[in-house]
Amino acid sequence: MESAGYYTNCKKTDGICEGICDGEHGSKAVLSMSRLKCALRGFDLKALLFLLIGVPIIIFVIYVHGQKVTYFLRPIWEKPPKPFTVLPHYYHENVSMANLCKLHGWKIREAPRRVFDAVLFSNELDILDIRWHELSPYVSEFVLLESNSTFTGLEKKLHFKENRQKFEFAESRLTYGMIGGRFVKGENPFVEESYQRVALDQLLKIAGITDDDLLIMSDVDEIPSGHTINLLRWCDDTPEILHLQLKNYLYSFQFMLDDKSWRASVHRYRAGKTRYAHYRQTDDLLADSGWHCSFCFRYINDFVFKMKAYSHVDRIRFSYFLNPKRIQHVICQGADLFDMLPEEYTFQEIIAKLGPIPSTYSAVHLPAYLLEKVDQYRYLLPGNCMRESG
């Protein structure tokens, strides 16, 4: 069929669009548009809208909330770790040490073991002050290592060195070390963290640690209670390695998350065998042994610094997470700084912990020095969520 100097091929029709080929008149443009309409009529309009609108929305939601989806589905792709063997913990200030050791199935020693408290230090000056005063009556040597580099390779000040005069009460029992950062760009933060922990092993040897001394391995904000350390230094037949169950607090002692902090540990030191670490090293866990106060800072700037400095820097998915006003709001709400779901292994536990942490207004059984210096550390007590901007 010839029309106005051009041809159309109508050898095949589909019953829907056969009318396109029936007319003998019309321009190329009109015919082309008719064919386009014909082609689109073959598609489901809802499916087309889904492709054009729904798919981009899904991609955006995954981009924004993908980490939440991953954490919520964690019970499907990751099995829970082996449960700890929890050892009952007995204590009352009016019970003798001999009876306390007996209650735990241990014998009392003729003299207490020496205790070494070793930490890697970043910028937690207030928490370090509270920790060292809590442990001071029982610790033989404080061992502290700091670096001019964060685990993520950022340059930082030597905060302890600049404020060392504030810790004069511990000076006669202090072994201090400084290690230069490696500043390797793009490196996994856990590599730098491991490098610093190896250096802390060497500093312990300089401090004079020997076999059967007690060594506390924990981050600065993981604070063993003084009576727990006193028990372990006075009792014989205690486990060679013992993890400590600590109450988990966030931002202050107002927001108690749970009692599942376990990384702190106490070791009966063995030369050539004991290595400073922050992972699970035994199945034994001593119940109710202290406090873990994470992100417990006075200044908003310190929150920002830690968020960018510690090993989980990948949790800063968006720059607005570091906005000071947002951080202040999150603190007072008891919400998550990184907008993450709870890190649990069952759907029941995840659902139970959804949303902000409920406030507690009990300040009973907290570190004594915290309450003695209430004017100085009031921001860490219940009912005081506002932080300073400095």
Side-chain angles (χ1 to χ4, degrees), residues 204-378:
L204 279 163
K205 294 177 182 178
I206 295 173
I209 195 168
T210 57
D211 282 358
D212 209 43
D213 289 339
L214 283 188
L215 171 60
I216 304 171
M217 295 186 189
S218 70
D219 287 349
V220 172
D221 58 8
E222 297 167 340
I223 308 174
S225 61
H227 68 79
T228 298
I229 300 305
N230 197 33
L231 175 76
L232 295 175
R233 75 184 187 129
W234 268 107
C235 298
D236 249 341
D237 303 322
T238 58
E240 291 275 329
I241 304 173
L242 189 59
H243 281 286
L244 305 180
Q245 180 191 52
L246 309 179
K247 292 178 180 177
N248 239 337
Y249 293 90
L250 192 62
Y251 313 136
S252 72
F253 291 96
Q254 176 172 334
F255 299 107
M256 181 181 166
L257 179 61
D258 55 36
D259 60 357
K260 294 183 177 181
S261 178
W262 55 265
R263 291 184 179 274
S265 58
V266 178
H267 300 241
R268 289 166 58 184
Y269 187 81
R270 294 289 179 264
K273 181 179 179 181
T274 304
R275 294 288 181 270
Y276 196 96
H278 199 235
Y279 50 76
R280 183 166 175 169
Q281 301 178 69
T282 183
D283 293 335
D284 294 327
L285 180 72
L286 184 62
D288 198 6
S289 297
W291 315 269
H292 180 190
C293 198
S294 185
F295 281 90
C296 291
F297 296 113
R298 181 190 302 272
Y299 301 107
I300 293 293
N301 288 347
D302 287 334
F303 285 85
V304 175
F305 174 80
K306 181 169 181 175
M307 291 172 74
K308 295 191 296 185
Y310 85 142
S311 299
H312 298 287
V313 66
D314 58 304
R315 295 179 178 179
I316 306 176
R317 292 174 289 126
F318 306 103
S319 60
Y320 77 86
F321 281 9
L322 302 175
N323 181 283
K325 290 184 179 179
R326 175 190 176 272
I327 291 174
Q328 178 62 78
H329 178 74
V330 167
I331 294 168
C332 288
Q333 291 295 311
D336 191 276
L337 281 171
F338 302 98
D339 195 25
M340 292 175 58
L341 291 183
E343 298 182 73
E344 298 294 345
Y345 294 93
T346 68
F347 290 115
Q348 182 180 2
E349 290 175 314
I350 291 174
I351 293 171
K353 287 187 175 180
L354 288 176
I357 305 169
S359 294
T360 176
Y361 294 99
S362 171
V364 179
H365 303 304
L366 295 182
Y369 190 72
L370 169 63
L371 299 180
E372 289 174 359
K373 298 294 181 180
V374 60
D375 291 335
Q376 185 175 351
Y377 296 128
R378 188 178 300 275

Side-chain angles (χ1 to χ4, degrees), residues 16-17 36-44:
I16 298 175
C17 301
L36 178 61
K37 291 178 181 178
C38 172
L40 291 176
R41 285 175 62 186
F43 286 98
D44 187 314

Side-chain angles (χ1 to χ4, degrees), residues 137-152:
Y138 317 108
V139 168
S140 308
E141 192 74 13
F142 294 105
V143 182
L144 183 146
L145 178 71
E146 71 174 333
S147 173
N148 62 345
S149 168
T150 68
F151 294 157
T152 55

Side-chain angles (χ1 to χ4, degrees), residues 3 23 29 66 84 103 109 121 135 141 154 160 186 189 220 230 277 321:
S3 176
F84 280 99
L103 282 166
R109 295 167 55 91
F121 185 76
L135 298 177
E141 192 74 13
L154 301 176
F160 181 84
V220 172
N230 197 33
F321 281 9

Side-chain angles (χ1 to χ4, degrees), residues 58-68 317-318 320-321 339:
I58 291 173
I59 293 173
F60 176 76
V61 169
I62 292 176
Y63 173 72
V64 174
H65 299 291
Q67 193 176 62
K68 287 185 176 181
R317 292 174 289 126
F318 306 103
Y320 77 86
F321 281 9
D339 195 25

